[in-house]
Amino acid sequence: MASNISLLLLFSYITTILHFIIFTFAQSDNYIIHMNLSAMPKAFSNQHSWYHSTLSQVTTANNNLNSPSSKIIYTYTNVMNGFSANLSPQDHESLKNSPGYISSMPDLPLKLDTTHSPQFLGLNPYKGAWPASEYGKDIIVGVIDTGVWPESESFKDDGMTEIPSKWKGQLCQFDNSNNSSLCNKKLIGARFFNKGFLAKYSNLSTTITNTTRDVDGHGTHTSTTAAGSKVDGASFFGYANGTARGIASLSRLAIYKNAWGKNGDAVSSDVIAAIDAAISDGVDVLSISLGDNNVSLYEDAIAIATFAAMEKGVIVSTSAGNNGASFKSLHNGTPWVITVAAGTMDREFHGNITLGNGVSLTGLSSYIGNFSASNFPVVFMGKCDNVEELKKVKSNIVVCEDNSGIVTAQISNLVEAKVVGGVFISNMPNIYDLDNIFPSIIIDQINGEIVKAYIKSYTSKNSSSIASMSFKKTIFGAKASPKVDSYSSRGPSYSCPYVLKPDITAPGTSILAAWPPNIPVLEYGTKVYNKFNVLSGTSMSCPHVAGVAALLKGVHPDWSPAAIRSAMMTTSDILDNTKQPIKDIGNDNKDATPLALGAGHVNPNRALDPGLVYDVGVQDYVNLLCALNFTQQNITAITRTPFNDCSKPSLDLNYPSFITFIDAGNSSVRTTHEFRRTVTNVGEGQSTYFASITPIKGFNISVVPNKLVFNKKNRKISFKLKIEGQKVTQKNKVSFGYLTWKDSKHVVRSPVVVTTPDFNL
């Protein structure tokens, strides 16, 4: 018996030793470590040195052959506070007891299955707008643009059902003939309109081919963003690798080409003809990524043509324009369309610089080449404004810094000097400043200080500092996002400032979609081709909303265009992925006002069930036109009838947003503005909504009644919103808050803007 006990004890002892040996010498793995930055001791000058010290405290004796620096893979300062490192299981466990440690996760391989904007919008195949609408099945999306490249894989019709009978289109116009063989169950129509263009520019007639084929690329990109089929293996030279698909990937596409020449020029007559044809053909949604500035509604081709589309129940998504952050720079401010601003996503294109001491820093990069710089000397050259001095270090990686944040001139100088590569330190990193052909990275000032300190430490020793560069890294989860991008045009609308525009923001920056393979995506002396291209602009955000509209139309075929627009607006997001108000890049990253953001950033899944909608009928729009002091002739140009009832003119359209203008002047004079709105219950039959108001400094906002009780679905209830306050002296000042109706399930939010315009209404 004693002998058996001894054997058991010996076996237990050996097992314990084996477990210890296995644990100690187990193969190391990569981990991503989240750290609490507020716990960093003041003795450390930067995050990397703190992480280095933390890791050195937990490194086991068996792993001392590798220094803590060599274990660190990346130091993260933007997407998160922390680092990634290669650790043994024992080191990993020990690290969990370190001060400032929050959590860690294994560096698992990822399966990329999208070019990201659908996922960024929360769309997924298991719940929400995609399965509810069957990916927009049988909804017809018309695209007014530069045409289409029908052979693109994004127009394949694998698995699609027969074309719905509501489609009345006939022609598929390619290559001087009605070549229907290039259309299919996905691409069900393709027509071109150039008569107006050729009449106006007859000298260009020999350069224009009568075809819907896209020789610009813009139309192929926008149409596949809205409703392109799923395509695996899409990328932009290694960036944005994954599966490309449109927002409504099972919707049908009908293309109407009316933009011609290298610049995609169009004339009003062709635009009106294209929209007219689209209505006849039976489209459900129109995506129009073009417009004109400073044009009255009755002279605006898109406004005129889309009024008819609205009457027929067609939802129209239009781009806000790319005129930047100036007040009142927006076009397509038409009250009966959706006007879409452009925002960023949480996906960024990165490159790395790895210093000779093992520190690896990441920054923005769009370099598409296969070049990789390994262990080259790295030097700091200040503003990099002296080309002759730069030529002396052409075999080096050159680091530049300019407090003005101007990178373009620096890149030009480095390219002329033929240096190995460039690292640009910027207080406002912007990927648009970079050159796709020159190996370069933009890093922020925190990482810039790390690089400069490293170079300085070697310079003081009269020895060479070295670094390596690598590219084509796609990063997800960037914070803060989304943001309204700087190019996106701002309200109020020139043509109708009394309706708050833009309506909503959608992804518009660095959007990957299909591209004609014979049109260069880049042209720097050498032409570069690819089947997909990455573009930025409100032209890219517009088709995102068109795709969302197709999903909503698929679920709610009886909803009006105004109801679908309202559903998107009142359920949109006003907070970014850090749970802070969405920022405006064009306004020094301050909180975005509704004149930049609209009601918020589109959220397709929440828009499925908005609870309440602000619906608008044709007569409501006529009442607005009458109140704009248009003549009957002006109104007829829009409504197409001379019999317009102007007995009840009103600037107060039943819109899911509010804007009031106050003359800048004597601050002792009080002002009062009252709005009347009617909401329709599209949620549960019986529900009670309570109002809450985000205060606006200097103004008192009240709503009567502040409680809405619905006893059945589709019932309508009206309320009044009153704004009272003193005048202000500052022109172009924008103050805003929100009116929110809440029941047990729904949050129905509308922006409220008070502004002092520097123009005559």
Side-chain angles (χ1 to χ4, degrees):
M1 183 70 177
S3 176
N4 289 339
I5 293 174
S6 297
L7 287 173
L8 286 172
L9 289 173
L10 178 62
F11 178 77
S12 176
Y13 175 76
I14 292 172
T15 301
T16 302
I17 293 296
L18 287 173
H19 282 168
F20 175 79
I21 293 172
I22 292 170
F23 186 78
T24 301
F25 293 96
Q27 186 175 0
S28 61
D29 203 353
N30 293 349
Y31 296 90
I32 299 170
I33 315 298
H34 293 259
M35 299 291 284
N36 181 357
L37 190 58
S38 64
M40 184 176 77
K42 295 181 179 179
F44 294 102
S45 59
N46 55 62
Q47 291 169 252
H48 179 79
S49 58
W50 177 41
Y51 302 151
H52 177 280
S53 175
T54 300
L55 200 57
S56 68
Q57 301 300 315
V58 301
T59 304
T60 60
N62 295 305
N63 286 300
N64 279 338
L65 292 175
N66 294 318
S67 69
S69 285
S70 66
K71 288 177 171 291
I72 292 180
I73 302 170
Y74 295 110
T75 293
Y76 302 111
T77 57
N78 294 310
V79 297
M80 57 173 277
N81 291 318
F83 61 95
S84 57
N86 185 272
L87 303 172
S88 69
Q90 186 176 2
D91 289 348
H92 182 222
E93 288 300 315
S94 299
L95 184 64
K96 295 178 180 180
N97 299 316
S98 300
Y101 172 88
I102 296 176
S103 64
S104 63
M105 56 186 180
D107 190 10
L108 298 175
L110 300 178
K111 181 182 180 297
L112 296 176
D113 58 4
T114 177
T115 52
H116 196 53
S117 58
Q119 273 62 28
F120 184 64
L121 294 176
L123 293 168
N124 70 80
Y126 306 109
K127 63 178 181 179
W130 266 356
S133 67
E134 295 184 79
Y135 296 83
K137 180 182 177 183
D138 286 345
I139 300 300
I140 302 171
V141 178
V143 180
I144 311 288
D145 216 297
T146 66
V148 65
W149 193 266
E151 293 89 353
S152 169
E153 288 184 83
S154 294
F155 299 110
K156 64 186 180 183
D157 62 355
D158 298 354
M160 297 191 75
T161 57
E162 293 301 315
I163 298 171
S165 59
K166 63 183 176 182
W167 173 247
K168 306 302 180 185
Q170 300 295 325
L171 300 179
C172 196
Q173 298 173 314
F174 287 107
D175 309 322
N176 286 307
S177 66
N178 297 332
N179 188 351
S180 60
S181 65
L182 291 176
C183 284
N184 55 23
K185 296 173 185 177
K186 159 62 72 174
L187 181 61
I188 62 175
R191 301 174 65 178
F192 64 83
F193 300 85
N194 61 11
K195 292 180 181 179
F197 182 85
L198 292 176
K200 189 175 181 67
Y201 306 106
S202 58
N203 60 313
L204 298 177
S205 60
T206 58
T207 66
I208 301 300
T209 303
N210 288 330
T211 178
T212 314
R213 184 172 294 281
D214 189 1
V215 295
D216 176 272
H218 192 275
T220 300
H221 196 281
T222 56
S223 58
T224 55
T225 297
S229 298
K230 176 183 175 183
V231 180
D232 295 325
S235 81
F236 185 70
F237 302 100
Y239 294 103
N241 224 348
T243 298
R245 73 172 81 203
I247 298 300
S249 59
L250 290 185
S251 288
R252 320 291 176 148
L253 278 166
I255 307 301
Y256 302 87
K257 178 177 179 176
N258 64 355
W260 304 87
K262 290 184 178 180
N263 298 320
D265 295 319
V267 296
S268 295
S269 56
D270 291 337
V271 173
I272 293 173
I275 298 174
D276 185 75
I279 294 171
S280 297
D281 289 346
V283 303
D284 300 297
V285 179
L286 269 176
S287 179
I288 307 176
S289 291
L290 53 89
D292 201 355
N293 297 322
N294 301 331
V295 180
S296 298
L297 290 174
Y298 53 84
E299 297 176 324
D300 186 334
I302 294 175
I304 292 168
T306 55
F307 190 91
M310 173 272 299
E311 284 186 298
K312 295 293 186 180
V314 178
I315 309 148
V316 182
S317 177
T318 62
S319 53
N322 302 327
N323 295 319
S326 301
F327 201 64
K328 203 183 176 189
S329 61
L330 171 144
H331 65 214
N332 287 326
T334 307
W336 42 87
V337 304
I338 306 173
T339 308
V340 189
T344 64
M345 293 190 292
D346 66 343
R347 180 186 67 192
E348 291 181 348
F349 301 152
H350 281 203
N352 277 5
I353 176 170
T354 302
L355 306 178
N357 62 4
V359 176
S360 185
L361 304 170
T362 185
L364 298 178
S365 180
S366 58
Y367 176 62
I368 65 169
N370 295 318
F371 171 79
S372 180
S374 299
N375 297 325
F376 278 86
V378 57
V379 295
F380 177 63
M381 297 296 288
K383 293 184 178 182
C384 295
D385 54 356
N386 189 322
V387 176
E388 294 306 316
E389 289 297 317
L390 291 171
K391 288 180 179 178
K392 296 176 182 179
V393 292
K394 67 178 184 179
S395 60
N396 290 246
I397 295 172
V398 176
V399 180
C400 308
E401 182 177 28
D402 190 334
N403 292 332
S404 65
I406 299 173
V407 177
T408 306
Q410 296 172 343
I411 287 181
S412 178
N413 291 339
L414 265 57
V415 170
E416 183 178 348
K418 298 182 180 180
V419 304
V420 171
V423 178
F424 303 99
I425 302 169
S426 174
N427 57 354
M428 290 189 67
N430 190 334
I431 199 168
Y432 307 135
D433 292 327
L434 290 174
D435 186 322
N436 301 83
I437 305 299
F438 177 66
S440 52
I441 299 170
I442 300 180
I443 59 177
D444 61 26
Q445 289 181 316
I446 294 175
N447 286 337
E449 292 302 317
I450 296 173
V451 173
K452 289 194 296 182
Y454 166 74
I455 295 172
K456 185 178 180 180
S457 68
Y458 276 83
T459 303
S460 63
K461 301 174 185 176
N462 293 320
S463 57
S464 297
S465 50
I466 60 172
S468 301
M469 299 176 75
S470 57
F471 301 94
K472 299 184 181 180
K473 301 179 184 300
T474 302
I475 306 298
F476 299 94
K479 297 180 179 177
S481 62
K483 295 180 181 180
V484 179
D485 217 331
S486 56
Y487 58 79
S488 188
S489 293
R490 314 305 162 97
S493 162
Y494 170 88
S495 58
C496 188
Y498 305 99
V499 176
L500 177 58
K501 292 282 181 170
D503 294 309
I504 203 158
T505 296
T509 298
S510 298
I511 304 301
L512 185 141
W515 193 257
N518 67 337
I519 298 174
V521 294
L522 296 169
E523 203 165 347
Y524 294 99
T526 301
K527 295 180 179 180
V528 181
Y529 301 89
N530 196 47
K531 292 182 179 180
F532 290 85
N533 199 359
V534 172
L535 297 180
S536 297
T538 55
S539 285
M540 283 65 251
S541 59
C542 168
H544 276 88
V545 168
V548 173
L551 300 179
L552 297 180
K553 185 72 173 179
V555 179
H556 302 289
D558 57 331
W559 281 10
S560 70
I564 287 177
R565 176 181 58 202
S566 175
M568 282 194 248
M569 291 173 65
T570 62
T571 60
S572 60
D573 297 321
I574 60 172
L575 302 181
D576 60 28
N577 58 3
T578 69
K579 305 304 181 183
Q580 296 298 311
I582 291 173
K583 300 299 187 287
D584 181 354
I585 296 174
N587 190 23
D588 296 326
N589 281 304
K590 295 177 182 176
D591 292 353
T593 77
L595 293 181
L597 178 68
H601 192 277
V602 66
N603 187 317
N605 294 329
R606 283 214 299 261
L608 281 180
D609 182 19
L612 306 175
V613 295
Y614 294 74
D615 212 348
V616 184
V618 174
Q619 185 58 45
D620 297 314
Y621 291 120
V622 173
N623 293 343
L624 174 66
L625 296 175
C626 297
L628 289 171
N629 293 322
F630 289 175
T631 66
Q632 276 291 339
Q633 184 179 6
N634 296 151
I635 298 172
T636 300
I638 299 169
T639 64
R640 306 176 324 286
T641 175
F643 306 107
N644 297 292
D645 181 3
C646 281
S647 61
K648 296 180 180 179
S650 175
L651 294 173
D652 191 16
L653 189 66
N654 194 48
Y655 219 74
S657 58
F658 305 82
I659 184 169
T660 185
F661 299 94
I662 299 175
D663 292 332
N666 190 341
S667 61
S668 64
V669 179
R670 294 187 65 80
T671 183
T672 300
H673 195 100
E674 189 171 274
F675 300 88
R676 179 181 174 86
R677 293 288 190 271
T678 300
V679 289
T680 304
N681 177 30
V682 295
E684 286 73 18
Q686 295 186 346
S687 54
T688 301
Y689 287 82
F690 296 91
S692 63
I693 296 171
T694 305
I696 300 177
K697 186 177 180 180
F699 294 90
N700 179 48
I701 305 177
S702 58
V703 59
V704 178
N706 61 5
K707 177 182 177 182
L708 305 178
V709 180
F710 296 91
N711 54 22
K712 61 180 180 180
K713 193 172 183 177
N714 295 323
R715 186 189 171 191
K716 300 177 183 291
I717 298 180
S718 298
F719 65 88
K720 291 181 179 180
L721 180 81
K722 182 184 289 187
I723 301 175
E724 299 175 287
Q726 293 186 344
K727 288 191 176 182
V728 293
T729 58
Q730 182 180 348
K731 292 183 178 181
N732 287 353
K733 179 175 176 58
V734 181
S735 301
F736 66 97
Y738 294 92
L739 165 67
T740 305
W741 293 102
K742 293 182 181 179
D743 72 350
S744 59
K745 182 179 178 182
H746 303 96
V747 177
V748 187
R749 185 180 54 251
S750 296
V752 180
V753 172
V754 179
T755 183
T756 53
D758 188 16
F759 59 86
N760 295 322
L761 294 171

